[in-house]
Amino acid sequence: MIMSCETSMKIMTTPSLVSKHPKMGTTIFTVMSALAAESGAVNLGQGFPDFDCDEKLVSDVTAAMQEGLNQYPPMTGVLPLRQAVSEKIKTLYGHQYDVNTEITITAGATQAILTIMLAVVHPGDEVIVLEPCYDSYVPNIDMAGGTVVRVPLTPGTFRPDFDRIQAAICPKTRAILINSPHNPSGMVWRHEDMLKLQEILAPTQVLLISDEVYEHMVYAPLQHHSASSYPGLAARAFVVSSFGKSYHVTGWKVGTVAAPVALTAEFRKVHQFNVFTVNTPVQHGLARYMKDPQPYLNLPAFYQRKRDLFRAGLARTQFKMLPGEGTYFQCVDISELSVPEKNLGESEFCKWLTKEVGVAAIPMSAFYGDSFDQHVIRFCFAKKDTTLNAAIERLSRL
Ligand code: PMP
Ligand code: GLN
């Protein structure tokens, strides 16, 4: 059929769309990585290792593929991986999760957290986040129709402020989201903090979402305190972790959610129609690799050495370091720098640092709803020593 020019133009016109998410932009990590690449900068912005994972892990996944483990796995994840995860949690944190009804393999922690929100948050429910917080939390709550309640962490130390947490809880509160070790500050919750949270939540129906993706990056003398170790928390918690962080494979996007049977059942209702499941050979490869606990048990020492190397370098610059208790992030205060650009605001300063000094960083303001600016920026030290030394060399010129 021959169409008139006018008709074919109409057919080809994209319907006008009212944005459903008008306030959502592109994540700061994508923006800063693009700017780093464009500027030829050392990228200490987005959190990912610039070194390879263990060759054995690649061989384990390859072997699974070659053995023909390439079709759909069970919706919940392959049994050997659920078993390995359950055993690990039991050994490290003392809680037994049922492999069939309480552990689910996800497409990374990002999918896990969105799926939790979609599964449990009813329109109008309140969800408490502790600011600064990871950038997907708030959009995830919005997508679920929930109301975000922002409670600040204590300024300067980033420690939980339990009076404010307590004050934020009301009959509309559906859940509270915590993250230790904490991105971006690196702060680690203490045993007493977990006990206090357990006490505050005990008389309530509030669910806990515990983002523990950096569980294996806590530096001596501190240790990780998982929500799963506290019976009163475990009974109400979705505990989220990520293989991307623990095994240097952020691009594989595989994570886990451990939660009591009733919570897991609701989680899986959404998970099955969200991603259904996660790629098979990677799951089998991870299960085989997990038989040896050394890789994750060695991780604190591995990253502690990198943190110390990076901090020793930073000590020779004008940047003022904040504590680095956990994660692979190191935050610094820029207010004492001698360059006038320190007054640009964190976000513009990071762009300037990337373009003019050749080191990319992330502004802490990106982790706040109101872009609160405290002259602090975040560096990622999950990098080869040569990368860290190159960054220090550039930062020392300031
Ligand atoms: N939570 C936090 C605190 C993170 O830093 C990240 C990503 N680095 C995630 C969740 C998402 O993890 P994943 O890459 O497994 O989706
Ligand atoms: N979590 C990583 C960070 O904080 C980034 C992950 C991402 O780019 N989505 O840097």
Side-chain angles (χ1 to χ4, degrees):
M1 190 179 73
I2 299 171
M3 279 183 278
S4 73
C5 184
E6 202 187 327
T7 312
S8 68
M9 288 280 283
K10 273 188 192 151
I11 289 173
M12 290 188 305
T13 308
T14 304
S16 65
L17 187 65
V18 179
S19 175
K20 196 173 166 201
H21 306 289
K23 284 191 256 157
M24 256 182 234
T26 305
T27 84
I28 186 71
F29 310 114
T30 302
V31 171
M32 292 312 296
S33 278
L35 189 61
E38 210 175 279
S39 322
V42 179
N43 189 356
L44 303 192
Q46 189 180 23
F48 65 91
D50 72 343
F51 43 84
D52 272 340
C53 66
D54 189 344
E55 278 175 25
K56 165 141 191 341
L57 181 53
V58 175
S59 312
D60 286 340
V61 172
T62 309
M65 270 185 208
Q66 286 169 339
E67 286 163 30
L69 295 165
N70 297 306
Q71 305 311 324
Y72 290 128
M75 179 270 276
T76 56
V78 304
L79 182 60
L81 187 55
R82 282 182 281 117
Q83 277 166 335
V85 169
S86 172
E87 276 160 31
K88 185 191 97 167
I89 297 176
K90 172 82 182 130
T91 309
L92 295 186
Y93 309 128
H95 187 89
Q96 181 78 61
Y97 285 100
D98 183 86
V99 292
N100 291 316
T101 58
E102 299 188 317
I103 306 262
T104 312
I105 310 302
T106 62
T110 311
Q111 182 243 317
I113 295 166
L114 173 60
T115 301
I116 294 166
M117 297 302 175
L118 295 174
V120 303
V121 175
H122 297 245
D125 281 356
E126 293 188 358
V127 180
I128 298 173
V129 297
L130 308 182
E131 269 196 330
C133 67
Y134 186 58
D135 74 337
S136 73
Y137 298 168
V138 166
N140 284 180
I141 298 165
D142 285 344
M143 284 183 227
T147 302
V148 179
V149 176
R150 301 165 192 273
V151 173
L153 291 165
T154 310
T157 63
F158 302 100
R159 304 202 47 71
D161 180 335
F162 288 106
D163 290 339
R164 296 188 81 151
I165 292 174
Q166 174 94 70
I169 295 175
C170 72
K172 280 186 166 177
T173 311
R174 175 69 58 192
I176 175 169
L177 211 165
I178 64 169
N179 169 220
S180 174
H182 181 242
N183 182 8
S185 74
M187 183 270 303
V188 171
W189 283 46
R190 312 296 199 260
H191 173 56
E192 298 70 37
D193 296 326
M194 300 304 281
L195 289 177
K196 185 73 192 164
L197 183 68
Q198 182 168 249
E199 183 193 318
I200 289 176
L201 297 184
T204 75
Q205 294 298 311
V206 175
L207 299 172
L208 174 64
I209 303 160
S210 186
D211 179 346
E212 304 184 11
V213 299
Y214 299 103
E215 63 182 313
H216 300 300
M217 294 172 211
V218 178
Y219 309 120
L222 299 177
Q223 64 182 76
H224 178 58
H225 297 289
S226 172
S228 55
S229 299
Y230 300 82
L233 294 179
R236 64 178 72 237
F238 291 96
V239 179
V240 177
S241 194
S242 171
F243 292 104
K245 316 287 169 192
S246 305
Y247 289 157
H248 315 308
V249 286
T250 58
W252 287 11
K253 299 297 298 180
V254 186
T256 59
V257 174
V261 56
L263 300 188
T264 297
E266 286 303 303
F267 176 86
R268 288 176 179 175
K269 285 183 189 171
V270 178
H271 177 76
Q272 66 183 336
F273 296 127
N274 178 189
V275 288
F276 178 58
T277 188
V278 183
N279 93 66
T280 311
V282 168
Q283 289 195 53
H284 282 287
L286 286 167
R288 292 170 195 187
Y289 190 69
M290 278 189 84
K291 291 207 168 97
D292 178 5
Q294 284 314 313
Y296 56 78
L297 294 180
N298 292 340
L299 211 59
F302 173 83
Y303 273 124
Q304 189 158 344
R305 194 194 64 78
K306 287 205 179 284
R307 181 202 63 171
D308 293 346
L309 175 83
F310 189 52
R311 283 179 68 92
L314 282 175
R316 302 195 300 274
T317 71
Q318 293 179 18
F319 290 95
K320 217 172 96 200
M321 283 175 273
L322 273 60
E325 298 178 344
T327 74
Y328 47 41
F329 302 117
Q330 174 65 52
C331 290
V332 294
D333 188 312
I334 59 173
S335 51
E336 284 173 22
L337 296 180
S338 53
V339 289
E341 287 81 4
K342 70 178 184 189
N343 297 318
L344 286 172
E346 291 171 8
S347 188
E348 288 308 307
F349 178 84
C350 283
K351 287 183 192 152
W352 172 80
L353 194 72
T354 308
K355 287 195 267 196
E356 305 302 331
V357 182
V359 181
I362 301 288
M364 181 157 302
S365 53
F367 297 81
Y368 288 89
D370 63 356
S371 303
F372 174 58
D373 197 306
Q374 55 200 307
H375 313 289
V376 172
I377 63 171
R378 188 198 83 176
F379 292 118
C380 170
F381 58 79
K383 305 293 167 190
K384 293 175 194 149
D385 291 2
T386 46
T387 309
L388 294 175
N389 288 332
I392 290 296
E393 199 268 317
R394 292 176 184 199
L395 295 173
S396 329
R397 290 186 213 146
L398 282 182

